[in-house]
Amino acid sequence: MRGPADRPGTARLRHLLPRRLRRSLRSGVRWKISVAIALVGALVAIALSLVVHNAARVSMLDNARDVQDERIQFVQRQYEARGGNLPVGFKVDDPALPAELRAKVLDGRRATYVSEPSDGVPDIWAAVPLADGDVLSVHTRFTDRSATVMKDLDQALIIGSIAVVFGGSALGVLIGGQLSRRLRKAASAARDVAQGQTHVRVRDAIGGVVRDETDDLAQAVDAMADALKQRLEAERRVTADIAHELRTPVTGLLTAAELLPPGRPSELVRDRAQAMRTLVEDVLEVARLDSSAERAELQDIMLGEFVSRRVAARAFDGITVSVIHESEVTTDPRRLERILFNLLANAAKHARPPIEVSVEGRVIRVRDHGPGFPEDLLEEGPSRFRTGAADRAGHGHGLGLTIAAGQAQVLGARLTFRNVRPPGAEPGTPAEGAVAVLWLPEHAPTNTGSFPMVRLPGPL
């Protein structure tokens, strides 16, 4: 049940991506919402700050121009009435008078003007025409007090903007955290359903009083899980019924084949009949395992001695057994033997010798030197009615490993698969063999059975 050791595709593409980049492509909903709210808050705060700053500056400049206008009217009346010296800052026909302001005054109008010197502090001008045709003008710098007020206002706007950004971020973390928490609960419940815990309901797992799109997603997942469960149960019943109905005629066919006269045709008929009977028995066993009705009949055994005797009794060719560390375990010998023989039969049929069986404590390893397991088996586990043989490469792995995995669950054990490659080998390097590892539990299995099947890294 082997296939190509490596295939081009998304798995290889993931290996080619830098690890840091792969990490950077993943971020939580909480932080996305927080960043979005912070950015919106920052944009709003900046826009409002600019509007307030400009409005305050324009208002102060308008007040300064009004003051200059009042001053120059007062000085004009005094100058035209009594003459004499002008107050400090007031001049007649000032050569520095801005041209635009001079033009308006020569038209006979009183006017004010704001100029922007290079130092950035504006000059406030006011000018008025005199009776003799001269121009009386005055200008002062923008007052220090006004500049201080603007500076204080800018500081207040900056502090307020920062407070808005941090407040928005905190609000985003709070809102996003609640949503992210519900989504994580939904994902955890969905994984439980995928691992066979059909009693789990995603809607109940996420809880909450307020209904939102997360509840709609949870209900949709629950409905999908129920539909899949019903379909799988119907398929399991049909498969079991068909296998049960075939059992009697296949047994009769095998019995009739035994009555045929000796010869090559008779041997072929008996061989095919026996193969059909084995297939029917395997299908029935898979159906029983799928129904979760199987229970282990526990005994205390010495694991290393048990494996050595069973392998020697079957007289497998090219198989060596080594007991690294003996251990007493409580398990079902019949189911353990079934798992062991299925792994050995798979290795003998699809791999190359030597096939090495090692027992270390509660761990049994079956190591071969073939082309390795197909990548889809390593990622998804064994699949029934699918084989990874060369003529059907990439379509799965038959019943042998499926039964082994199901029996391991009944024992409360873990059955893992991985390929062996040279140390430091690049992705895509052909495998130097495959190893299946059975991890027996420290305690006797419960009525509900097993740990989930996972792929574990690490040395042999």
Side-chain angles (χ1 to χ4, degrees):
M1 301 176 187
R2 303 288 196 268
D6 183 74
R7 298 183 305 178
T10 58
R12 181 178 298 178
L13 181 59
R14 286 197 299 269
H15 286 297
L16 295 178
L17 283 174
R19 182 175 302 175
R20 183 176 301 175
L21 177 58
R22 294 202 303 270
R23 287 200 300 265
S24 66
L25 294 177
R26 178 181 174 85
S27 61
V29 173
R30 172 189 302 182
W31 304 114
K32 290 179 180 178
I33 294 178
S34 177
V35 170
I37 293 179
L39 289 177
V40 173
L43 292 176
V44 172
I46 292 173
L48 290 179
S49 298
L50 292 176
V51 171
V52 172
H53 173 85
N54 290 331
R57 188 173 185 273
V58 169
S59 177
M60 289 184 177
L61 290 175
D62 288 342
N63 290 334
R65 294 172 72 165
D66 292 340
V67 170
Q68 291 288 67
D69 185 55
E70 292 176 359
R71 291 178 64 196
I72 201 166
Q73 291 183 63
F74 178 77
V75 172
Q76 177 194 13
R77 288 193 295 268
Q78 287 187 338
Y79 181 75
E80 290 182 340
R82 299 192 298 267
N85 295 328
L86 293 171
V88 177
F90 287 83
K91 295 181 180 180
V92 176
D93 291 334
D94 186 353
L97 186 68
E100 295 181 5
L101 180 59
R102 183 184 297 275
K104 291 182 180 179
V105 173
L106 293 179
D107 288 339
R109 293 182 296 171
R110 186 179 72 253
T112 58
Y113 184 79
V114 178
S115 62
E116 296 282 352
S118 59
D119 57 3
V121 180
D123 286 336
I124 312 300
W125 289 82
V128 62
L130 297 175
D132 57 3
D134 293 332
V135 177
L136 175 65
S137 64
V138 63
H139 83 278
T140 58
R141 306 297 296 274
F142 198 53
T143 63
D144 293 338
R145 183 176 178 275
S146 298
T148 302
V149 171
M150 287 299 300
K151 183 178 180 180
D152 293 340
L153 177 62
D154 290 341
Q155 290 179 349
L157 291 175
I158 292 174
I159 294 174
S161 300
I162 295 175
V164 167
V165 172
F166 279 99
S169 299
L171 180 62
V173 170
L174 179 62
I175 298 175
Q178 294 179 350
L179 178 59
S180 177
R181 189 159 46 249
R182 288 165 62 85
L183 290 175
R184 285 198 301 270
K185 289 180 179 179
S188 177
R191 282 192 292 268
D192 292 339
V193 173
Q195 292 172 357
Q197 302 180 32
T198 55
H199 64 281
V200 176
R201 286 295 175 266
V202 179
R203 177 64 187 85
D204 297 336
I206 63 176
V209 178
V210 180
R211 302 292 296 272
D212 55 17
E213 289 80 0
T214 310
D215 296 88
D216 298 336
L217 173 63
Q219 291 177 354
V221 173
D222 289 338
M224 180 182 66
D226 290 338
L228 290 176
K229 179 183 176 182
Q230 294 175 2
R231 180 175 178 180
L232 292 175
E233 181 63 22
E235 292 180 354
R236 186 195 64 79
R237 287 198 301 268
V238 170
T239 302
D241 292 343
I242 293 175
H244 184 75
E245 294 298 326
L246 287 176
R247 196 174 189 179
T248 300
V250 169
T251 302
L253 178 63
L254 187 61
T255 302
E258 295 293 337
L259 302 177
L260 294 175
R264 181 59 179 167
S266 300
E267 292 179 2
L268 292 176
V269 172
R270 283 192 291 271
D271 179 71
R272 293 300 88 198
Q274 182 60 48
M276 185 177 296
R277 180 177 182 179
T278 301
L279 176 61
V280 170
E281 295 294 338
D282 287 346
V283 170
L284 286 173
E285 185 172 358
V286 170
R288 289 194 299 269
L289 293 172
D290 286 344
S291 66
S292 301
E294 295 288 281
R295 296 293 180 267
E297 298 178 1
L298 304 177
Q299 297 181 21
D300 294 333
I301 62 172
M302 301 303 294
L303 186 59
E305 179 186 357
F306 175 85
V307 172
S308 299
R309 286 191 289 105
R310 290 298 189 272
V311 174
R314 280 294 185 97
F316 284 103
D317 295 331
I319 296 179
T320 59
V321 179
S322 60
V323 180
I324 301 174
H325 175 65
E326 183 63 279
S327 176
E328 183 178 4
V329 298
T330 301
T331 188
D332 188 330
R334 181 181 65 84
R335 298 183 189 277
L336 179 59
E337 181 179 7
R338 178 69 160 153
I339 297 171
L340 178 62
F341 286 167
N342 277 21
L343 295 178
L344 292 176
N346 180 76
K349 183 176 181 181
H350 299 283
R352 293 189 298 270
I355 299 173
E356 303 163 354
V357 180
S358 63
V359 180
E360 185 175 1
R362 298 176 178 274
V363 180
I364 302 175
R365 292 180 174 86
V366 178
R367 162 82 153 88
D368 62 54
H369 293 76
F373 293 112
E375 290 298 327
D376 50 356
L377 184 146
L378 300 179
E379 296 176 0
E380 304 173 6
S383 301
R384 70 198 64 179
F385 303 119
R386 293 161 59 183
T387 170
D391 55 336
R392 295 175 61 188
H395 291 276
H397 318 284
L399 293 176
L401 295 183
T402 302
I403 293 174
Q407 295 290 6
Q409 289 186 340
V410 176
L411 295 180
R414 287 183 300 181
L415 181 59
T416 65
F417 306 93
R418 68 183 181 89
N419 290 334
V420 180
R421 290 186 172 88
E426 296 292 332
T429 303
E432 296 181 342
V435 57
V437 185
L438 180 67
W439 311 70
L440 293 175
E442 184 176 357
H443 304 288
T446 63
N447 290 336
T448 56
S450 69
F451 300 94
M453 185 190 311
V454 296
R455 177 187 177 188
L456 294 181
L460 295 178

